[in-house]
Amino acid sequence: MSFTAAHWGVYEVEGAETGRPSLRPFSRDPDPSPIGLAALEAAQAPNRVRRPAVRLSWIEKGWGANPERRGVEPFVEVSWGEALDLVARALQATIKDSGNRSVFAGSYGWSSAGRFNHAQSQIHRFFNTLGGYVGHVDSYSLGAGNVIMPRIAMSMDRLIAAQTTWDVLAKNTELFLSFGGVPLKNSQISWGMVGRHTVRAGLRSMAEAKVQFINISPVRSDLDSSVPHEWVPIRPNTDTALLLALAFEVYTRGWHDKQFLRTHCVGFDRFAPYLTGEADGIAKAPEWAQQITGVAASKIRELARLVSAKRSFITAAWSLQRAHHGEQPYWATVALAAMLGQIGLPGGGFGIGYGAVNGIGGTPLPFPGPTLPQGRNPVSEFIPVARVADMLEKPGASFSYNGKSYKYPEVDFVYWAGGNPFHHHQDLNRLLRAWRLPKAVVVNEQFWTATAKAADVVFPTTTTFERDDIGFASKEPYLIAMRKVISPVGEARSDYDIFSALARRLGTEAEFTEGRSSQEWLQLLYDRCQQSAQNKGVVLPPFETFWENGVAEIPVDESSHVTFADFRADPSAHPLGTRSGKLEIFSQDIAVRNYPDCGGHPMWFEPAEWLGGPGSQKHPIHLLSDQPHTRLHSQLDHSSYSRDNKVQGREPAVMNLHDAQERGIREGDLVRIFNDRGSCLAGARLSDGIARGVAKLSTGAWFDPESWAVAGSLEKHGNPNVLTADVGASQLSQGCAAQTCLVQIERFLGAVPPVTAFMPPPFAVRKDEGAD
């Protein structure tokens, strides 16, 4: 038996020696995810990219021709030699004419769980040996959080690694007040891989200890239904107003911890006048918040009493900051927890993102895993990750980010590997128009995704099952020998082999490969990891033993951990990474920027779109686009497990029963969801577990426009990002604001167009296929 690893779990491989391999859950995982069981079947699907493919205009007229035809005209399958030569010439000419600053190779995406065949690492290493590239910072998941948290508490990376462990919460927490829930469906996945799914057990251990759970969310299922809890529905994007009202009650009733605010925080004296209304004439009282949030003033007062009287742990989901002004709910969470004075106490304080991925609330390993060195990028230009369309449309335009001003580079060449921007980006109709502006788009892809269909050159890439690798994650107690399960499909090659071949043509092969084969790299990366482990007193077996056994178990220190405990005990000896070394309820660094959309302390700003605004008259439904339970974002959408969940072949849209009845929509109907940015079809699922005026359409349905020729045509498959707004959370973070989205929904009565998302594009045939 051998093993393979993925972002959603480790799986045991049976029957590989017979040529009929199959997967089963990892026997050491207490709560395995079913997502990956369909992955092997999906890897051999008809929509695999089987040969190098070049868009027709590039064959007939040369590279750079007719970029406006991306996604419209057919491809020509060519030999590897011809495709590689074509891309190498285009890259060489681009860099010669415009420099490396004209190449965008950020390649955002989750890519592979294997540490060597991690596409982002491969492409970044390749371009760093070639002179660099324009990259990106932050993530779509945590754009606003990554910028605001280091300024007010600590970096998200540090916080994720050091959040209070589940056992501490079970033993000490009395009230678990959760904004956005702890979604189990999200906890199926994690960066790298998942060896042990632990979130369900963590929640249940707290429930057995009689912890009181309150889930403040528009969606009841954001907290596990098997955990007894109270659901408090709230208007989307208004969590900040509720947090401010809780802070108002705590302050005006004298329940705040004056000493903690004085010794461990800065700026409360600048925040308090805003709460009382002295600063702006508006008291942030429960009655004020009721009009914004839809939560009754009496309930807000009750929550304030509870959170002040009990050992309380306040959590905020990642989804809260994927919104317009997304910095504010995190900042308000920190401020409220600081006022209660329980930060650093066992079971008290705050946490960010429990349930967002597996591992939060777990114990990190004491040493780094195997990682391919990427080298140094000589190009300083970058973009915040969610500003791709801005960059392509507005070269030379200024943008603000994290307190500084920058300019968008002029990009002529886009190279993408290991991701799918036509899944994770917002306002996809705008992106499609922008995508047709640069001279070249090259993609390494396994399947004919929308990103591949909108490229100029597509290199067929192997899946996890078609190559050797090493699986690792920083909070998982295993190293996994990911031995190849099947032969490459068609002519697919690994990213390493593709970039090695390009580097050979561009004169950088020695720097990129260092003379090593893939297997030699695996042994080197393992050996370095083994040495790092040994430095921390952890003994790993020799590489040969590890590769034969398939699994190396890592002894994990299961000791309890309390976030900020050292800081609480002695803030001078253990300062935070903020400007003051303390928790910053008021930030002078942010205040002096005079941003109109992010002030010096937590504030309520009206979102660009919300149910309390004027736009709700035309588009009266707030659309949430969450992580699906049947796949990781768009990965494996074409698998049987994901497709079995669809309604008439479309992504399900969960609607409130009353909202559906008002529109004559029944369970299983096709619906058209639309706003001024676009429209899509979805399948109706009706529920009493979603708030009135709210609908939920999970991300990841492969983008499938009725016509590629016209940006803005009906999307047939249920991709919510034809509807979401492509705006930054604020001038501070420029984070993704996908959760700020108003729509209208109607029953679809027209002729039903077929779903073609999983079909390959059209191909043209030519007589001369080029030399090998």
Side-chain angles (χ1 to χ4, degrees), residues 477-513:
Y478 305 106
L479 279 162
I480 304 296
M482 301 167 59
R483 297 208 296 268
K484 185 169 75 170
V485 177
I486 59 174
S487 298
V489 171
E491 297 180 14
R493 297 183 181 180
S494 70
D495 289 297
Y496 180 68
D497 288 341
I498 294 169
F499 289 125
S500 296
L502 283 173
R504 187 178 312 123
R505 287 161 169 79
L506 294 166
T508 59
E509 183 181 17
E511 294 90 336
F512 177 72
T513 69

Side-chain angles (χ1 to χ4, degrees), residues 671-674 678-682 697 714-715 718-720 722-723:
V671 296
R672 175 176 170 259
I673 310 176
F674 61 95
S679 62
C680 70
L681 297 182
L697 182 62
L714 177 70
E715 200 281 329
N719 188 314
V722 300
L723 304 161

Side-chain angles (χ1 to χ4, degrees), residues 490-714:
E491 297 180 14
R493 297 183 181 180
S494 70
D495 289 297
Y496 180 68
D497 288 341
I498 294 169
F499 289 125
S500 296
L502 283 173
R504 187 178 312 123
R505 287 161 169 79
L506 294 166
T508 59
E509 183 181 17
E511 294 90 336
F512 177 72
T513 69
E514 296 183 14
R516 296 187 181 92
S517 66
S518 297
Q519 196 66 22
E520 289 170 334
W521 270 111
L522 291 180
Q523 176 143 9
L524 177 67
L525 299 186
Y526 182 89
D527 290 346
R528 289 175 176 174
C529 175
Q530 184 185 43
Q531 184 60 56
S532 296
Q534 184 175 323
N535 293 342
K536 295 293 184 178
V538 177
V539 177
L540 296 177
F543 177 77
E544 294 77 11
T545 304
F546 159 69
W547 199 251
E548 177 64 27
N549 292 342
V551 179
E553 187 157 1
I554 303 168
V556 177
D557 179 6
E558 300 284 2
S559 59
S560 303
H561 177 78
V562 178
T563 312
F564 299 107
D566 290 343
F567 168 71
R568 182 184 183 89
D570 190 338
S572 298
H574 301 282
L576 304 179
T578 61
R579 182 175 183 266
S580 63
K582 298 181 179 182
L583 295 163
E584 299 215 349
I585 298 174
F586 175 87
S587 169
Q588 182 65 29
D589 281 352
I590 296 176
V592 298
R593 307 297 170 188
N594 292 315
Y595 292 136
D597 51 7
C598 187
H601 56 70
M603 298 174 66
W604 162 250
F605 295 92
E606 279 201 38
E609 299 176 19
W610 70 297
L611 291 177
S616 62
Q617 296 176 6
K618 182 179 180 181
H619 300 118
I621 301 292
H622 194 118
L623 184 70
L624 302 176
S625 47
D626 65 339
Q627 163 67 23
H629 73 273
T630 57
R631 57 184 179 266
L632 167 55
H633 301 309
S634 67
Q635 290 190 40
L636 297 185
D637 186 37
H638 67 295
S639 74
S640 58
Y641 184 61
S642 179
R643 295 172 80 162
D644 286 348
N645 182 56
K646 296 184 186 286
V647 177
Q648 297 192 47
R650 275 78 180 174
E651 191 66 20
V654 180
M655 297 182 64
N656 177 273
L657 285 166
H658 298 288
D659 292 332
Q661 290 169 1
E662 291 173 356
R663 292 162 173 77
I665 296 169
R666 296 171 298 182
E667 179 81 16
D669 282 348
L670 281 188
V671 296
R672 175 176 170 259
I673 310 176
F674 61 95
N675 59 20
D676 293 339
R677 289 179 289 272
S679 62
C680 70
L681 297 182
R685 288 227 172 107
L686 311 187
S687 172
D688 62 359
I690 192 166
R692 289 290 301 267
V694 180
K696 181 167 71 75
L697 182 62
S698 296
T699 63
W702 288 10
F703 178 60
D704 192 23
E706 196 164 28
S707 171
W708 280 91
V710 180
S713 66
L714 177 70

Side-chain angles (χ1 to χ4, degrees), residues 107-127:
S107 286
Y108 178 85
W110 278 64
S111 186
S112 167
R115 296 297 83 197
F116 174 66
N117 288 295
H118 183 256
Q120 286 183 54
S121 300
Q122 292 283 349
I123 191 173
H124 294 169
R125 178 180 175 86
F126 168 73
F127 275 102

Side-chain angles (χ1 to χ4, degrees), residues 424-463:
H424 57 244
H425 197 67
Q426 283 64 63
D427 195 351
L428 292 181
N429 291 314
R430 180 196 179 201
L431 178 65
L432 181 56
R433 292 189 294 268
W435 199 252
R436 289 167 170 162
L437 295 175
K439 294 178 182 177
V441 175
V442 178
V443 173
N444 291 5
E445 242 307 345
Q446 301 158 343
F447 305 99
W448 280 109
T449 64
T451 301
K453 291 175 181 177
D456 297 314
V457 180
V458 183
F459 289 128
T461 314
T462 52
T463 67

